[in-house]
Amino acid sequence: MVNPYNPYDGERQASELLPSAQKLGLVIKAFEAKHPEQLQPVIEQIAAEKFDAIIITQNAMFYNERKRLAQLGRAYRIATMAPADLFLDAGAVMSYGPVWSAMFRNAARYVDKILKGANPAELPVQQPTQFRFVINLKAAKAIDLEIPPIVVSRADEVME
């Protein structure tokens, strides 16, 4: 699921997913939602086309609507994979993404450097270096999804 108002993220993620999906014989398709009122019709379309899961891309609107996305996933029995563990508390099945607390600490270091006189243009751009894979077994059970033990064993955290 992508928000076309932020096309770079959707295109980038789709291009990164496509080679792996093809190797595994999986079909992926981008579904677009620009506004919260489009979420239910889009998930209905995903269900009608018989997709088993939704990968939710990083987007502020999706973060704001994470509880609704998880509820719709449960209602239509579609597994939801999210870009941050914040979605799991809302009821998503899995998440893989950067550790937000580490990113915020790093941002605070940059603010400190700037306040002490550093030129922001001279500070290097940094990418996240810590990532977490989290599984919500309760959410999986709610849609009768059995996650293979090998996948569970690879998770950094398992919510039961």
Side-chain angles (χ1 to χ4, degrees):
M1 180 175 291
V2 299
N3 186 333
Y5 284 147
N6 190 359
Y8 173 74
D9 277 344
E11 290 170 11
R12 178 184 52 81
Q13 289 191 14
S15 70
E16 291 172 357
L17 290 171
L18 191 57
S20 296
Q22 288 173 334
K23 285 180 186 175
L24 295 170
L26 301 174
V27 175
I28 64 169
K29 178 180 176 180
F31 290 86
E32 295 182 350
K34 293 180 184 178
H35 306 287
E37 61 272 7
Q38 293 177 323
L39 294 176
Q40 183 161 351
V42 167
I43 291 180
E44 287 173 355
Q45 181 183 0
I46 292 167
E49 293 189 29
K50 308 240 185 272
F51 281 91
D52 298 316
I54 302 169
I55 297 175
I56 302 165
T57 59
Q58 290 192 36
N59 183 270
M61 189 262 291
F62 297 152
Y63 277 91
N64 291 340
E65 298 294 326
R66 63 187 177 272
K67 287 182 183 175
R68 190 157 168 236
L69 283 165
Q71 289 169 347
L72 288 166
R74 274 193 311 278
Y76 289 91
R77 305 180 63 72
I78 299 171
T80 49
M81 175 79 174
D85 56 6
L86 294 170
F87 285 77
L88 286 125
D89 290 333
V93 174
M94 294 181 189
S95 73
Y96 180 75
V99 176
W100 288 95
S101 58
M103 290 177 32
F104 292 146
R105 278 191 302 277
N106 201 34
R109 287 185 198 101
Y110 268 49
V111 169
D112 181 58
K113 289 177 182 182
I114 293 166
L115 291 174
K116 290 179 178 173
N119 180 350
E122 294 175 2
L123 294 174
V125 173
Q126 294 190 350
Q127 296 289 330
T129 58
Q130 296 176 331
F131 294 84
R132 283 177 32 133
F133 174 44
V134 185
I135 298 173
N136 183 337
L137 289 178
K138 183 178 176 184
K141 187 175 183 175
I143 61 170
D144 294 323
L145 175 66
E146 186 174 327
I147 299 175
I150 189 73
V151 175
V152 174
S153 72
R154 299 198 67 183
D156 296 302
E157 180 182 345
V158 177
M159 300 170 63
E160 301 199 43

